[in-house]
């Protein structure tokens, strides 16, 4: 099986539209930098925690984190999640992170880490055979919604 190199685009700082103008009528330009995540996965989710820290998630139960603005990435894999597609990730400054896998029925799951991705605990498995989670959103470390 041939290995694929997966690259990630990562933008540090606030997201600003290139069409907008800054105070004083100065044009704003965006600078994109190509990043190597180290993952052998199809990337599906991204969450920027601050200007240096971001998480990505993807197929094969994989995720990665950068704590230095994308200079280096620490790839990881959730144990026993090889068949899962992590379509969304939500992370917080205190190290709490949620991963949502997408798929019919029991393939839709939510995992939680409270130690920066070193360990994961299954929080929820979809009990409905035709149910399919696609994303999640949080408004606090303990308050969120999956849909």
């Amino acid at each position: 099986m041939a290995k694929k190199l997966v690259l990630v685009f990562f933008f540090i700082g606030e997201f600003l539209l290139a069409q907008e103008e800054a105070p004083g009528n100065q044009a704003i330009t965006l600078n994109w930098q190509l990043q190597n995540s180290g993952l052998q996965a199809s990337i599906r989710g991204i969450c920027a925690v601050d200007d240096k820290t971001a998480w990505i998630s993807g197929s094969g139960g994989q995720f990665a984190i950068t704590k230095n603005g994308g200079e280096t990435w620490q790839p990881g894999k959730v144990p026993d999640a090889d068949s899962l597609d992590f379509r969304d990730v939500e992370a917080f400054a205190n190290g709490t992170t949620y991963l949502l896998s997408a798929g019919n029925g029991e393939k839709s799951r939510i995992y939680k880490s409270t130690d920066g991705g070193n360990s994961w605990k299954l929080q929820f498995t979809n009990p409905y055979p035709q149910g399919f989670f696609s994303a999640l959103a949080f408004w606090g470390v303990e308050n969120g919604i999956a849909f």
Side-chain angles (χ1 to χ4, degrees), residues 13 23 32 38 100 102 120 122 126:
W32 294 92
L100 176 133
W120 295 92
L122 180 63
N126 183 0

Side-chain angles (χ1 to χ4, degrees), residues 37-57:
S37 70
L39 292 184
Q40 302 292 318
S42 174
I43 305 301
R44 305 296 174 97
I46 186 167
C47 179
V49 177
D50 55 39
D51 63 344
K52 297 287 185 190
T53 308
W55 289 74
I56 56 175
S57 63

